[in-house]
Structure formats: structure tokens, C-alpha cells
């Protein structure tokens, strides 16, 4: 879309701006221990169900 705003754009500064603390991304979220424990438990349950279906049924 074409930008038709009439406002002036600020000049770039030499020093870098501080990163937003909430914009850390998905890799930061996956590094949290409670989430990894939850995903590990769900993965183990799925693995146990798959092994049960393959070998015991």
C-alpha cells in the first residue's frame, strides 16, 4: 500500500534503541522450564500411547 501521510519522518539516530522486553520471540519462550516440563510430559504420554498401540494391540 502506498504511504500518503504528510507527516515528516524522524531522522535516524546513531545509538541503537533498547530492545522491547516483550519482543523476545519464540526461542525465549521455549527456554522456560515450566513450559519444557509440560511439553515433555505431553510428549511422554504421546510416546507411551504410540508404543502401546504398536506393540500391545
Amino acid at each position: 500500500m502506498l504511504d500518503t501521510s504528510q507527516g515528516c519522518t524522524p531522522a535516524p539516530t546513531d545509538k541503537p534503541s533498547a530492545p522491547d522486553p516483550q519482543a523476545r520471540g519464540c526461542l525465549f519462550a521455549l527456554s522456560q522450564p515450566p513450559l519444557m516440563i509440560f511439553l515433555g510430559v505431553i510428549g511422554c504420554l504421546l510416546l507411551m500411547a504410540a508404543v502401546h498401540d504398536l506393540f500391545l494391540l
Side-chain angles (χ1 to χ4, degrees):
M1 181 175 244
L2 193 60
D3 184 19
T4 58
S5 62
Q6 297 294 326
C8 62
T9 58
T13 59
D14 289 338
K15 63 178 183 176
S17 61
D20 186 15
Q22 292 183 351
R24 292 183 181 178
C26 185
L27 291 178
F28 177 77
L30 285 178
S31 69
Q32 301 304 308
L35 178 62
M36 292 307 294
I37 292 170
F38 172 75
L39 292 176
V41 168
I42 297 298
C44 287
L45 290 174
L46 289 173
L47 180 65
M48 288 172 45
V51 167
H52 177 267
D53 287 347
L54 287 174
F55 295 117
L56 298 177
L57 290 180

